[in-house]
Amino acid sequence: MQRRRMAVLIGVVIGVVFMASAALSADKVPGNLTNMFYEKWAGYEIRYPSGWGVDKPDRVTVLFAGPRGTDDYYTTVTVQNVASAKYGGTHQNEGSLVSDLKRQFTKNDPGTQFFNEKTFPFASEGGTPVNAITFGVTYTLQGDKFQQWAVIIPRASDQVYHVFFYTSPARLYERNIKTAYDMLQTLRLVKGSK
């Protein structure tokens, strides 16, 4: 009887340790994404690297960039909220927004090239599944070649689109693409916003 109790107790302890370590590994933050951005108006939270700064150039945009004086300063992640037609904007759906973004790129540089456009599942607020759209683009601005990765994420409410951009001079693109990808993996849409 004593031996059986001991075996059950050891089994319970091993089970608890296993579940705790699984929970801890599930919450691991990729890379060095130790800082968290969250403001209720934005409707999302996202982690970003230590040493990177945050700027809010307008009421709907948040820009993350590396420290001044480093190459990381020129590679940025931006998240912009765009109102849908349901909320006073001009876009009926995320496809319309993608088309508009492409028009803007091409207008500024007729040599713009788009690639890797695809749709993928994303968990919107409350875990509701939505279809996000992603594409890559290269363009020239003031004589410098840039590369950008865009991800358009609709909210389940279909009132706002969150547009995630990773932008970099083409020569530095590979340097921080993993950081941008990791940041996107931490992007969580939160309830209470449109």
Side-chain angles (χ1 to χ4, degrees):
M1 187 71 143
Q2 186 82 358
R3 181 176 273 162
R4 180 182 154 118
R5 282 187 186 150
M6 184 59 87
V8 168
L9 180 61
I10 289 173
V12 168
V13 168
I14 289 172
V16 168
V17 167
F18 177 76
M19 288 187 299
S21 67
L24 286 174
S25 66
D27 287 338
K28 274 188 182 171
V29 176
N32 68 342
L33 305 181
T34 56
N35 296 332
M36 172 73 80
F37 171 83
Y38 169 75
E39 289 187 14
K40 187 174 179 173
W41 66 266
Y44 61 86
E45 64 182 36
I46 188 170
R47 291 190 173 275
Y48 62 97
S50 60
W52 280 39
V54 177
D55 186 26
K56 294 177 246 170
D58 57 45
R59 293 181 18 196
V60 296
T61 307
V62 180
L63 182 135
F64 304 89
R68 284 185 189 274
T70 70
D71 281 345
D72 293 345
Y73 181 74
Y74 300 102
T75 58
T76 63
V77 169
T78 306
V79 183
Q80 183 177 34
N81 294 347
V82 178
S84 74
K86 285 184 177 179
Y87 199 58
T90 59
H91 304 290
Q92 296 293 329
N93 55 47
E94 57 272 20
S96 166
L97 177 54
V98 168
S99 295
D100 186 44
L101 289 170
K102 288 181 174 183
R103 266 191 304 279
Q104 290 175 42
F105 278 116
T106 305
K107 180 181 176 185
N108 291 327
D109 175 17
T112 296
Q113 295 181 334
F114 301 97
F115 53 93
N116 294 341
E117 182 173 334
K118 55 185 142 193
T119 302
F120 68 97
F122 193 90
S124 190
E125 67 274 24
T128 304
V130 295
N131 288 319
I133 298 175
T134 182
F135 65 89
V137 59
T138 57
Y139 59 93
T140 301
L141 180 65
Q142 297 176 347
D144 292 322
K145 190 158 181 100
F146 284 85
Q147 188 166 344
Q148 193 167 60
W149 171 40
V151 181
I152 293 81
I153 305 163
R155 291 188 74 82
S157 66
D158 201 28
Q159 293 187 352
V160 173
Y161 306 110
H162 300 280
V163 184
F164 176 100
F165 287 115
Y166 167 60
T167 307
S168 174
R171 66 182 175 77
L172 298 174
Y173 186 82
E174 294 299 323
R175 178 182 173 98
N176 282 314
I177 186 63
K178 182 170 180 351
T179 297
Y181 178 80
D182 289 346
M183 287 177 69
L184 180 65
Q185 297 306 305
T186 71
L187 179 67
R188 301 286 176 260
L189 305 187
V190 295
K191 289 186 175 188
S193 182
K194 302 288 183 202

